[in-house]
Amino acid sequence: MEIPSIHLRHLWQRFQQTLETEAAEQFLSLLLNIMRLMFAIDHDYRENIRKFDGRYQFNSKDGKMTVGAIFSDGRLEVEERVIDNPHITVSFRDGRTLFNFLLAPKQDILGSMLRQDVQTDGNLNYLYRFGFLAKQLQLMMTPG
């Protein structure tokens, strides 16, 4: 799939630059904003969240970052605060561990949990779905 706009391409470049750092806040915020934009403009991608309701709470272990992601009615809302009644809470050590957890070619959720890179509380099916959405987005944005 071709990237639909220069703005989106710029966002994706910024996203890739954050992967070289361990800035968890930038990584997750950019990922969620690109995801939200793609849901708005790409019908096929939006189909992945049709009739899906999910509430995600992401927290850095140092407490510096708190982001909530709410999927409802085919849309994604991003809140930079603690949300009510998340289906799953994901606490991670830093941006690199979150990236490896969500976008690595072969996700190793159990290994990440055993290494205590990532801790979860809630239904892991929601986490697998979020990982799927993130990987779909990555494939859509990767040329070739």
Side-chain angles (χ1 to χ4, degrees), residues 21-25 27-28 58-65 89-101 111-120:
T21 70
E22 296 198 0
E25 186 172 333
F27 162 72
L28 187 58
F58 295 96
N59 301 315
S60 61
K61 286 187 176 178
D62 63 8
K64 292 182 178 177
M65 191 198 126
T89 298
V90 181
S91 299
F92 51 88
R93 187 170 35 125
D94 56 40
R96 177 57 58 189
T97 58
L98 183 62
F99 169 77
N100 288 337
F101 189 65
S112 294
M113 294 170 87
L114 290 173
R115 288 187 302 275
Q116 298 184 348
D117 291 338
V118 176
Q119 295 177 327
T120 61

Side-chain angles (χ1 to χ4, degrees), residues 74-88:
R75 288 186 277 169
L76 168 61
E77 293 179 36
V78 179
E79 308 274 339
E80 292 188 16
R81 63 176 180 83
V82 175
I83 61 171
D84 295 330
N85 306 314
H87 291 109
I88 188 162

Side-chain angles (χ1 to χ4, degrees), residues 15-126:
F15 175 73
Q16 290 178 315
Q17 289 169 353
T18 64
L19 299 180
E20 296 169 6
T21 70
E22 296 198 0
E25 186 172 333
Q26 290 177 359
F27 162 72
L28 187 58
S29 292
L30 280 171
L31 176 66
L32 290 170
N33 282 313
I34 293 171
M35 197 179 274
R36 181 173 47 188
L37 180 62
M38 288 306 291
F39 286 134
I41 64 176
D42 189 303
H43 177 269
D44 292 337
Y45 190 54
R46 187 172 49 250
E47 279 295 308
N48 291 312
I49 60 168
R50 189 169 67 91
K51 297 183 180 179
F52 173 66
D53 290 325
R55 301 174 67 82
Y56 296 77
Q57 183 71 62
F58 295 96
N59 301 315
S60 61
K61 286 187 176 178
D62 63 8
K64 292 182 178 177
M65 191 198 126
T66 299
V67 174
I70 303 168
F71 294 86
S72 179
D73 297 326
R75 288 186 277 169
L76 168 61
E77 293 179 36
V78 179
E79 308 274 339
E80 292 188 16
R81 63 176 180 83
V82 175
I83 61 171
D84 295 330
N85 306 314
H87 291 109
I88 188 162
T89 298
V90 181
S91 299
F92 51 88
R93 187 170 35 125
D94 56 40
R96 177 57 58 189
T97 58
L98 183 62
F99 169 77
N100 288 337
F101 189 65
L102 294 174
L103 297 177
K106 189 174 180 180
Q107 285 183 332
D108 183 14
I109 292 176
L110 182 59
S112 294
M113 294 170 87
L114 290 173
R115 288 187 302 275
Q116 298 184 348
D117 291 338
V118 176
Q119 295 177 327
T120 61
D121 182 22
N123 187 332
L124 286 178
N125 287 325
Y126 285 91

